[in-house]
Amino acid sequence: MTKSVRASLLALSIAALPLSVQAAGLGQINVLSGLGQPLRAEIQISASAQELQSLSARIASADAFRRANLSYGSAVSTIRVSVDTRAARPVVRLTSDRPINDPFVDLLVELDWAGGNLVREYTFLLDPVELSAPRPRPARRARLGGRQSGARIH
């Protein structure tokens, strides 16, 4: 085989490769609960339709936490993980039955699919419920012509 034919075949095989290889990934975490409440959080997933078919998620093992120099606390062992692909945007849901009383939470979330796997670290702060919930504003009485309005019953 001549050099030009080999070079052409090599160039053709490189050109046939996909321009970008995209693997499943985990995005931002959105924490929906506060300190002293059961955990409710969602992590965005970026994945192809094919990857979503075989996707599973879980909290990484206690050994993985040790290797990452993270504490595998008792709260971590109570967290349940599920993948929700029915929503407009697929997410990993993190929930617990018990309240989480540690303000700082360190998690290692493991994502597995047919073409690979990844582990991502998340650290987040649980705000006290009083600070995370909007405070109700006191009702004001409307003033009409310098006088307070109010219903009078005769």
Side-chain angles (χ1 to χ4, degrees):
M1 204 183 278
T2 66
K3 286 185 180 180
S4 64
V5 172
R6 276 192 231 169
S8 296
L9 287 175
L10 180 61
L12 183 61
S13 61
I14 290 173
L17 293 174
L19 294 177
S20 67
V21 176
Q22 184 177 3
L26 292 170
Q28 293 181 326
I29 188 166
N30 184 19
V31 180
L32 306 168
S33 56
L35 184 64
Q37 295 179 329
L39 180 65
R40 287 187 3 237
E42 297 176 346
I43 301 171
Q44 297 173 358
I45 299 172
S46 61
S48 69
Q50 184 179 13
E51 290 167 334
L52 287 173
Q53 291 176 359
S54 64
L55 202 68
S56 66
R58 66 178 177 254
I59 300 296
S61 68
D63 189 46
F65 273 74
R66 273 192 296 281
R67 286 192 308 268
N69 291 326
L70 295 174
S71 172
Y72 189 85
S74 60
V76 172
S77 64
T78 67
I79 297 173
R80 290 186 313 274
V81 181
S82 62
V83 176
D84 184 358
T85 58
R86 295 170 297 174
R89 186 125 201 221
V91 294
V92 171
R93 292 196 193 282
L94 305 171
T95 58
S96 71
D97 289 332
R98 292 191 200 149
I100 305 293
N101 294 313
D102 296 326
F104 286 96
V105 179
D106 290 314
L107 289 180
L108 283 177
V109 178
E110 189 171 337
L111 193 65
D112 292 305
W113 66 98
N117 68 341
L118 70 86
V119 176
R120 180 157 177 201
E121 178 181 348
Y122 289 93
T123 300
F124 54 91
L125 174 67
L126 291 172
D127 289 326
V129 176
E130 306 84 53
L131 295 177
S132 62
R135 292 186 179 175
R137 300 180 103 176
R140 297 174 132 189
R141 298 183 96 182
R143 295 180 64 100
L144 298 175
R147 295 177 41 176
Q148 288 187 348
S149 68
R152 289 191 181 177
I153 302 175
H154 294 282

